[in-house]
Amino acid sequence: MKRLVLLLLLSFPLWAAPAWVKKVCGSYGNNAGVSTLTCQGTLTTAADLIVVSSTDLGTATVSSVSDGTADAYVTANVECTRSTTTHFAQWRGYGTLTSGTVTFTVTWSANVTNRAMVVEEYSGTALSGVLDAGASAHFCTSSNTSTQYGASYPTVTTTGANDLIVCGISQAGGASAILGTGYTHLDTGGCSGSPCVGSESQVATAPGAYG
């Protein structure tokens, strides 16, 4: 089965040792006439970095991400669209609500039928100047492949020690995502259907090229 793979890498300069905390939540929707998708979970520590990855079968872009509080979520400046078939986006923010359930909402620019999202929490990241400006900090690439291993992708070059690299993937066709070499904690949303969205990460302990 042919499927689309969209990959991105983000590099974050850090003031402390970074760490993946947990998958907060993930969800999938396939009902027509709506422009949002939600998932619910709990956060561990206030001011942890929250990364929200989302995908839809179409070309609608993500217009906002929220967690039901005054916390601000902004685009990571990485959005991929392959032809008219699959769109991927990644947003980031800092969660403050650590008691009770948090509802994350992704809102698209138009109604989308098939859509998925996954939310992850990371500790030890800086609260400002998040993207490593000296690195090739973010990019998107796509491939149409019939194997589960995808294709060969570019590398991201970091300039600082202990940069956190977050890689996202979106797949159409119901295929399963697999963990990339050097990455840990592959978390997915919607992979029982199509599209499937996933996120994985690694810590770049020294400046250099990582793929």
Side-chain angles (χ1 to χ4, degrees), residues 12-71:
F12 298 94
L14 305 167
W15 53 267
W20 173 88
V21 176
K22 67 178 181 180
K23 173 184 174 180
V24 178
C25 60
S27 66
Y28 169 76
N30 65 348
N31 50 317
V34 294
S35 60
T36 62
L37 184 64
T38 63
C39 70
Q40 294 183 324
T42 59
L43 301 180
T44 303
T45 305
D48 273 359
L49 174 70
I50 309 300
V51 178
V52 181
S53 301
S54 63
T55 187
D56 66 89
L57 293 185
T59 60
T61 59
V62 173
S63 56
S64 69
V65 171
S66 67
D67 64 5
T69 73
D71 299 335

Side-chain angles (χ1 to χ4, degrees), residues 5 49 62 80 174 177 193 205:
V5 176
L49 174 70
V62 173
C80 299
T205 56

Side-chain angles (χ1 to χ4, degrees), residues 174-189:
S176 297
I178 61 172
L179 192 65
T181 302
Y183 288 86
T184 59
H185 308 296
L186 174 63
D187 295 314
T188 61

